[in-house]
Amino acid sequence: EYVLTRDGLTIYNDAKSTNTLATTTAIKAFRDSKEELHLILGGKLRNESDQVLPDLLPFEHQITTIFTIGDVTQRLANELA
């Protein structure tokens, strides 16, 4: 869902991406974009074994920055480091 564009940054809200499959599907929507892609990932841990890195690696050339938020902030930061 488009939110706004300000100072050259276009923001989309993808609150429906509650798992890595949904997130990677959303990223694919920007595959032809020349703009930098910044992700905000986080929330609550659903499964202790959940990992995002394997699903995000194919998009490493598109993703400029990943911000981690919520209960899983430190776990995601450790995994993505």
Side-chain angles (χ1 to χ4, degrees):
E1 173 185 4
Y2 171 78
V3 176
L4 65 92
T5 299
R6 182 174 294 158
D7 299 327
L9 180 66
T10 303
I11 300 171
Y12 293 88
N13 176 16
D14 187 24
K16 299 292 184 189
S17 287
T18 59
N19 59 52
T20 57
L21 177 60
T23 301
T24 57
T25 300
I27 293 169
K28 287 176 186 176
F30 296 94
R31 74 174 137 239
D32 295 329
S33 175
K34 303 276 189 246
E35 295 182 29
E36 295 180 343
L37 184 61
H38 307 276
L39 294 181
I40 301 172
L41 298 176
K44 295 183 184 251
L45 184 63
R46 295 175 183 267
N47 183 335
E48 192 63 40
S49 64
D50 285 350
Q51 292 187 318
V52 297
L53 187 57
D55 293 327
L56 292 179
L57 280 176
F59 307 102
E60 66 181 326
H61 65 283
Q62 287 179 265
I63 300 170
T64 302
T65 311
I66 298 177
F67 300 93
T68 60
I69 62 171
D71 294 344
V72 295
T73 297
Q74 193 56 54
R75 192 185 88 48
L76 284 173
N78 291 344
E79 179 185 350
L80 296 171

